[in-house]
Amino acid sequence: MAVKNKRTLRERVIEGLLQAFILLFTIGTIYPVLWVFKIAFGAQKGLSISLSLFPANPTTENFHYLLFEKPFFAWLMNSVIVSLATTLIGIFLAATAGYAFSRFRFPGRTAGLLSFLVTQMFPGTMMMIPLYLIVNWLGLLDNLTGLILIYSTTAIPFCVWMLKGYFDTIPKDLEESATIDGASRSVIFYRIILPLAKPALAVTALFSFMTAWNEYIQAATFMNRELSYTLPVALRNFVGQFAQDWGFFAAGAILVSIPIVALFFVLQKYLVSGLTAGSVKG
Amino acid sequence: MIMPETRKNPAVPLALLASLLAVLAGFWVLDRAYGIDRQRDVTLVRAHLWLRSLALAVENGGLDAPDRVIALADAMRRADPRIGTLRVMTGTSFLYHSDPAKLGRDVDPTDAADKALYDGGVEIRYLLKSARRRPYLQNFDRAGGEMALSEPALQGSRRSMGTLHVDYDLEERAHAMDWRIWLAFLALFLSFAFLMRKREQWRWPLAGVCLLLAMTVGSLLMLAGHRRDGELARADKLEQLARVGETLAREAPDLLPVLVADLKGEPFGDLLGEWRSAQLQGPGETVPVRAGFDTVRLGAGGTLVLAVDGAMRSGLEKQAARQLQVVLTFFVILAALLLFFIMAGHALRTVRAIGKYHYSYIMIFPAMIGLIMLVLLPFLYGLSMGFFRVPPSQSGKWVFVGLQNFIEILSDFHPLTLGNFYFTLLVTVMWTVINVFLHVCIGLMLALILNRGDFPLKRVYRVLLILPWAMPNYITALIWKGMFHKQFGAINAFIKLLGFEPVSFFNNFWTAFFANVTTNTWLGFPFMMVICLGALQSIPADLYEAAQIDGASKWQQFRNVTMPLLKPALFPAVILGTIWTFNMFNIIYLVSNGEPNRSTDILITQAYRFAFEKFNWGYAAAYSILIFLILLAYGVFSNRVTRATEGVFD
């Protein structure tokens, strides 16, 4: 990019305005997050009407109550198990399917791809009743396995599409030379392609994990006992119709968000490349 | 690109084994599901018969003569060892308690079990009043092997005079999936393996036939097993009836006719099922017993015969039978189609295709199976629900009404009726358009700013601006709801700072809508920003240089270099974003919850309310189908126009 040594006043002013704008915008964006911290560290039921971000009497009693009086760790375990299982199943199934859709041409390929796309459009309410009946029928109500099954199948279409897009960008010469060297298809897939696809796999894993970790409505429908709640359901009940415990909710919100935000930041450099792979030509 | 076959593929027998195992697993799952159903059914009937008799004792003078109730309860526990704890609570004391220390004492509010029973009583009273569901509570604790059943003792037909509770043991039942099925599968597999050695080139047709045979044989065997199971269940229920009758005949013979009369009555009617009549035959009498009746001989004195007409097929069993019929019909149709298929020569072609591309099919099989079972099938089920009217009470029949639901939804032209389709559609479209527009504008703007080469603190801003996306969206929805709170919210604090009156955001359509849009925009712009950033970064810098040399202004550069190269990345994102926003349930439900008066509800939240608040499932399903059709039309249309998926299927 051509560098101009002298910057006109107009350019400087514009630059300054832009910086101010972004600063204000960012502050506005993270304000709600900081507001949660304020409530979490404030007194239990006190919501005071002030813009200040510092609680009047900082205390950690919300965290104490949440961690020790409520079965927080049970909820945490539930969420962790469900999310991890969904991620593993999602990646494994989507990787093989994405590879097949990308590399091979077989009858039913277009139909298969289309069906993955169209199922994204199914409204959740339409699926919930049949899913409830099916899960009930399988005796898996109130059971983490049922939730894992449902989340996996919800996450798979998106993952297949993303991985397929990424596999499309890997040049086929690698595989051809490997075949000439005598490698079987499984070897090619596991030893050559998968390691190359790490960014896309990371993004897929992140999305699957996020889908399962953040999902509220289906977990609320299928889990009945307090001990089998996942974190979203448990937190929601603090500020639902029957309670207004914003302090506990805020404390829980912070605890719940930390892992997912951390994961996000660790993997965020893959986000950009993973999302736009194959869409920009040339 | 097709991979050439370089050597004999060991995948064939593995594929067949996997398929056989999958079918076996399918049968096992089906069997387990029916087994659980059956167990629930039988246990419920057994426990209910005891509780009902005891309740009758309470209803008929039990409060004045508690000793009779106590004696009856003790006799019941002696007669049936499966009864665990048995409690009768009237008012706030225990008329009967299987723990002798608590018999006759008051309910102890600090004891968890007592409190649970008391709460159960309250809930049962509520169920009685609302008359929408049957007034009993059941809870199956599979880990403990027990079922807990709570029922009321009725005063009149809608009032409760006390609550009875029993913990009843769940009994393991035989499975239909027994050794014969395993043997059949094993035999088939062995014969296939044997034949394969002999006839290499018939591998795939043989595999197909083998699989088909396995499924047919398995289904037939399982059907037979279920029929046998059904007979056993019925026998068990009748045996329980005999036992109850005997105990009653011994301890409280005057209650026996009351029980017989009560067997069919509301409000427990569906529990015991379809009995047309039950008649008591006393000594010296004769009750005409027709073929197909069950007779239950009560041993007391050996002279009482209970003639039961209707064979006690409960609602659950009928449903199971109906389901089995559906499955069987499905199979028959499938078999007919298959036959036609084979005859027309297609089969061989398909089999050859599968053989040729088997590796691909194996690789997509797991994902497709999950998709079919847990997405496609529920979708079809939901689709068919839209053509039925489902009555709110659980035991009601589903009535096929054809397009009635759709006509009702689409012909309601009064925009102010609650849940009106057109009004909600308007709100939804407005919601989607505004949100996507804001997302794209803000995202693009931020991406352009942050993409400038030497912007200070670029990394920090990028990381911070992704935060709304990173946080779980139900949490942020609730946070924003808190921020829009009338008394304690930060937004109103800000408004007060500016000198205005605090606003009640959720009392007015426009302010509530504004609250929803603000939340969703806050949540949604990072996604667009990231996409734009990625696309911007892959535009080569030479293009800008060339344009600059040619004398293009910044704006012209933007229009002619940036925008065209952004489009391939933006279009899929916009289409996807539109679909997600259209179906954005969480924000609307959690932030404004449709206030005021369901006016800020979008289509999907309306459908949810019809399903889970009004229990009008057919209507909700029809609503959902309309949502889906709208989105489908939009998807197809935008695809045509923007060619967003061009090249994707190549």
Side-chain angles (χ1 to χ4, degrees):
Chain A
M1 178 167 136
V3 174
K4 291 212 173 91
N5 284 324
K6 191 162 67 115
R7 279 153 113 240
T8 63
L9 184 64
R10 181 164 160 240
E11 278 174 3
R12 284 233 190 96
V13 165
I14 291 185
E15 192 75 24
L17 279 177
L18 285 178
Q19 287 194 25
F21 171 73
I22 272 251
L23 185 68
L24 283 174
F25 197 85
T26 309
I27 291 182
T29 303
I30 61 178
Y31 181 84
V33 179
L34 298 176
W35 195 70
V36 177
F37 274 90
K38 167 192 164 191
I39 297 196
F41 285 102
Q44 187 193 345
K45 304 242 185 196
L47 282 187
S48 56
I49 183 161
S50 80
L51 277 181
S52 130
L53 283 174
F54 295 102
N57 304 312
T59 159
T60 55
E61 67 177 32
N62 289 327
F63 289 94
H64 271 275
Y65 183 84
L66 190 64
L67 287 176
F68 300 119
E69 303 277 340
K70 289 272 179 189
F72 184 78
F73 287 106
W75 298 331
L76 183 65
M77 276 325 291
N78 290 338
S79 272
V80 165
I81 293 175
V82 167
S83 306
L84 278 182
T86 308
T87 309
L88 286 173
I89 296 180
I91 295 191
F92 185 65
L93 295 187
T96 49
Y99 182 70
F101 280 122
S102 165
R103 288 292 182 260
F104 307 141
R105 301 287 176 271
F106 48 89
R109 175 178 175 269
T110 317
L113 277 177
L114 260 182
S115 64
F116 279 121
L117 193 60
V118 165
T119 52
Q120 291 272 64
M121 290 190 217
F122 293 174
T125 44
M126 197 165 146
M127 311 282 287
M128 265 220 284
I129 301 160
L131 274 179
Y132 185 87
L133 292 174
I134 289 182
V135 169
N136 194 12
W137 189 59
L138 287 175
L140 289 175
L141 258 193
D142 225 21
N143 190 327
L144 291 178
T145 316
L147 219 50
I148 293 176
L149 275 178
I150 295 179
Y151 287 165
S152 309
T153 45
T154 319
I156 285 179
F158 185 73
C159 298
V160 166
W161 266 96
M162 281 215 336
L163 285 174
K164 173 197 172 294
Y166 195 83
F167 285 138
D168 277 342
T169 63
I170 298 181
K172 301 197 169 83
D173 326 344
L174 278 170
E175 294 163 51
E176 281 173 11
S177 55
T179 318
I180 293 175
D181 284 345
S184 79
R185 271 179 278 191
S186 309
V187 165
I188 294 179
F189 181 64
Y190 287 110
R191 292 263 186 86
I192 301 180
I193 303 290
L194 275 191
L196 275 180
K198 281 216 190 89
L201 283 179
V203 179
T204 311
L206 180 65
F207 275 2
S208 303
F209 191 83
M210 262 176 70
T211 310
W213 187 267
N214 293 345
E215 207 284 332
Y216 162 71
I217 194 77
Q218 281 166 336
T221 312
F222 293 118
M223 296 303 190
N224 297 324
R225 292 177 301 139
E226 197 191 8
L227 276 181
S228 46
Y229 283 165
T230 54
L231 286 169
V233 185
L235 283 186
R236 160 77 166 115
N237 282 342
F238 281 134
V239 291
Q241 295 169 286
F242 303 114
Q244 287 291 317
D245 296 323
W246 286 95
F248 303 143
F249 168 74
I254 295 178
L255 291 174
V256 163
S257 307
I258 289 180
I260 197 76
V261 169
L263 249 185
F264 219 89
F265 287 155
V266 161
L267 294 173
Q268 59 129 350
K269 66 176 190 272
Y270 295 124
L271 267 179
V272 173
S273 54
L275 279 176
T276 56
S279 60
V280 178
K281 322 237 188 290
Chain B
M1 184 181 119
I2 316 288
M3 296 287 193
E5 290 264 2
T6 48
R7 61 178 73 80
K8 184 151 79 158
N9 206 321
V12 169
L14 276 178
L16 182 66
L17 187 63
S19 318
L20 277 178
L21 283 175
V23 172
L24 218 56
F27 279 128
W28 183 82
V29 162
L30 254 182
D31 182 53
R32 183 169 184 264
Y34 279 125
I36 290 180
D37 255 359
R38 196 78 77 187
Q39 189 190 43
R40 242 185 252 163
D41 189 38
V42 171
T43 314
L44 202 52
V45 167
R46 281 183 173 153
H48 171 73
L49 282 171
W50 286 126
L51 276 192
R52 197 65 204 126
S53 329
L54 198 55
L56 286 176
V58 171
E59 287 166 25
N60 293 289
L63 290 179
D64 306 316
D67 290 328
R68 197 162 86 124
V69 175
I70 297 175
L72 183 57
D74 280 331
M76 282 186 188
R77 286 174 56 217
R78 275 194 305 271
D80 190 347
R82 286 193 210 98
I83 297 182
T85 342
L86 180 58
R87 296 178 281 172
V88 179
M89 184 181 78
T90 44
T92 51
S93 64
F94 285 114
L95 186 55
Y96 180 80
H97 200 296
S98 46
D99 177 2
K102 294 190 146 202
L103 183 62
R105 312 287 281 274
D106 278 345
V107 172
D108 180 4
T110 60
D111 180 280
D114 287 5
K115 184 156 189 327
L117 182 57
Y118 185 79
D119 290 339
V122 171
E123 190 171 344
I124 290 181
R125 264 186 267 278
Y126 171 71
L127 288 173
L128 272 172
K129 265 211 289 274
S130 70
R132 249 217 315 217
R133 279 182 49 207
R134 275 156 287 126
Y136 57 89
L137 300 173
Q138 64 189 92
N139 188 32
F140 289 88
D141 180 6
R142 283 190 196 289
E146 275 190 338
M147 177 197 80
L149 179 65
S150 303
E151 285 183 7
L154 293 170
Q155 193 178 39
S157 66
R158 288 265 168 254
R159 290 193 53 202
S160 155
M161 60 196 291
T163 314
L164 299 96
H165 177 98
V166 68
D167 287 317
Y168 201 86
D169 283 344
L170 288 172
E171 182 193 58
E172 273 305 315
R173 302 192 65 79
H175 288 290
M177 180 93 181
D178 60 13
W179 56 272
R180 280 172 285 223
I181 298 190
W182 295 99
L183 202 61
F185 272 69
L186 190 63
L188 278 165
F189 183 64
L190 286 175
S191 42
F192 168 76
F194 173 73
L195 282 170
M196 194 180 88
R197 293 259 165 77
K198 298 287 175 170
R199 296 232 169 273
E200 264 289 329
Q201 69 268 33
W202 289 97
R203 264 200 335 247
W204 286 108
L206 275 180
V209 167
C210 183
L211 207 60
L212 213 62
L213 261 180
M215 282 171 68
T216 318
V217 167
S219 311
L220 287 175
L221 282 174
M222 201 154 89
L223 274 173
H226 275 299
R227 180 146 308 169
R228 186 195 63 208
D229 231 13
E231 294 295 322
L232 281 176
R234 204 176 93 204
D236 281 343
K237 291 180 198 171
L238 290 175
E239 183 216 334
Q240 184 77 347
L241 183 60
R243 198 181 300 190
V244 171
E246 270 186 50
T247 313
L248 265 188
R250 265 201 314 271
E251 303 286 330
D254 55 310
L255 284 180
L256 203 52
V258 188
L259 178 69
V260 170
D262 189 74
L263 281 176
K264 218 185 83 69
E266 290 282 345
F268 298 102
D270 192 71
L271 253 190
L272 290 174
E274 211 178 60
W275 290 18
R276 277 190 290 284
S277 69
Q279 283 176 289
L280 213 46
Q281 174 185 292
E285 295 174 345
T286 343
V287 171
V289 175
R290 294 199 290 260
F293 274 41
D294 294 303
T295 47
V296 178
R297 193 167 291 270
L298 304 178
T303 49
L304 287 172
V305 171
L306 193 71
V308 170
D309 168 14
M312 291 177 90
R313 286 176 78 219
S314 71
L316 223 60
E317 242 191 274
K318 279 185 283 179
Q319 189 186 39
R322 225 181 298 143
Q323 281 171 351
L324 264 175
Q325 275 175 349
V326 167
V327 170
L328 196 62
T329 318
F330 176 71
F331 254 139
V332 167
I333 295 180
L334 190 66
L337 282 175
L338 218 57
L339 205 64
F340 175 71
F341 197 53
I342 294 177
M343 296 273 119
H346 289 301
L348 209 56
R349 251 174 278 157
T350 315
V351 164
R352 277 209 203 105
I354 294 183
K356 193 166 167 206
Y357 303 106
H358 62 266
Y359 195 76
S360 325
Y361 289 127
I362 290 178
M363 288 193 93
I364 65 170
F365 179 74
M368 288 305 263
I369 274 289
L371 193 76
I372 293 177
M373 294 283 335
L374 285 171
V375 177
L376 203 60
L377 283 183
F379 172 70
L380 291 175
Y381 194 104
L383 195 70
S384 54
M385 267 203 315
F387 297 101
F388 285 79
R389 175 143 302 166
V390 185
S393 87
Q394 277 189 7
S395 63
K397 290 197 191 312
W398 288 32
V399 178
F400 181 76
V401 289
L403 295 173
Q404 184 75 12
N405 284 329
F406 294 96
I407 296 176
E408 256 187 58
I409 297 176
L410 291 173
S411 63
D412 182 2
F413 289 116
H414 296 139
L416 292 177
T417 50
L418 228 52
N420 177 267
F421 178 74
Y422 294 107
F423 181 73
T424 316
L425 180 62
L426 186 66
V427 172
T428 313
V429 168
M430 202 166 55
W431 157 261
T432 308
V433 166
I434 295 181
N435 269 307
V436 174
F437 177 74
L438 285 175
H439 289 173
V440 172
C441 285
I442 297 181
L444 187 55
M445 191 168 54
L446 290 174
L448 284 172
I449 297 179
L450 289 178
N451 199 36
R452 295 158 79 83
D454 50 357
F455 204 80
L457 293 179
K458 188 165 68 160
R459 289 243 177 86
V460 172
Y461 283 127
R462 251 179 56 170
V463 160
L464 285 180
L465 284 171
I466 303 187
L467 205 54
W469 190 22
M471 286 192 69
N473 73 354
Y474 67 97
I475 286 186
T476 49
L478 289 170
I479 291 176
W480 276 95
K481 182 184 168 108
M483 286 185 51
F484 279 109
H485 196 271
K486 176 159 192 213
Q487 280 131 341
F488 305 122
I491 307 278
N492 271 326
F494 187 66
I495 292 182
K496 265 177 75 165
L497 205 68
L498 292 179
F500 293 108
E501 279 295 310
V503 177
S504 174
F505 277 95
F506 299 117
N507 274 353
N508 173 305
F509 171 76
W510 290 107
T511 49
F513 189 74
F514 169 75
N516 286 338
V517 170
T518 313
T519 311
N520 198 33
T521 308
W522 186 84
L523 268 176
F525 79 80
F527 177 68
M528 287 294 169
M529 186 183 84
V530 167
I531 299 235
C532 291
L533 264 178
L536 281 174
Q537 274 166 4
S538 48
I539 298 179
D542 333 344
L543 286 174
Y544 287 116
E545 276 189 34
Q548 222 170 14
I549 292 175
D550 281 347
S553 74
K554 290 271 184 194
W555 173 247
Q556 280 171 323
Q557 283 179 31
F558 177 73
R559 252 189 53 190
N560 296 311
V561 175
T562 318
M563 281 309 293
L565 288 176
L566 268 186
K567 280 199 192 141
L570 261 187
F571 278 159
V574 164
I575 296 180
L576 217 60
T578 312
I579 295 181
W580 286 342
T581 310
F582 200 87
N583 276 347
M584 177 51 83
F585 179 85
N586 279 4
I587 305 293
I588 305 282
Y589 188 73
L590 293 174
V591 175
S592 75
N593 206 12
E595 297 300 318
N597 239 345
R598 285 169 71 171
S599 57
T600 49
D601 265 338
I602 56 177
L603 286 173
I604 196 170
T605 41
Q606 291 284 20
Y608 179 81
R609 284 188 211 285
F610 281 119
F612 290 98
E613 289 174 15
K614 309 277 184 193
F615 299 105
N616 196 345
W617 290 349
Y619 203 77
Y623 225 88
S624 307
I625 294 173
L626 287 171
I627 298 177
F628 172 65
L629 287 175
I630 294 176
L631 281 177
L632 194 62
Y634 169 75
V636 166
F637 170 73
S638 57
N639 199 16
R640 288 266 158 90
V641 167
T642 65
R643 294 197 298 269
T645 54
E646 186 178 44
V648 158
F649 290 112
D650 292 342

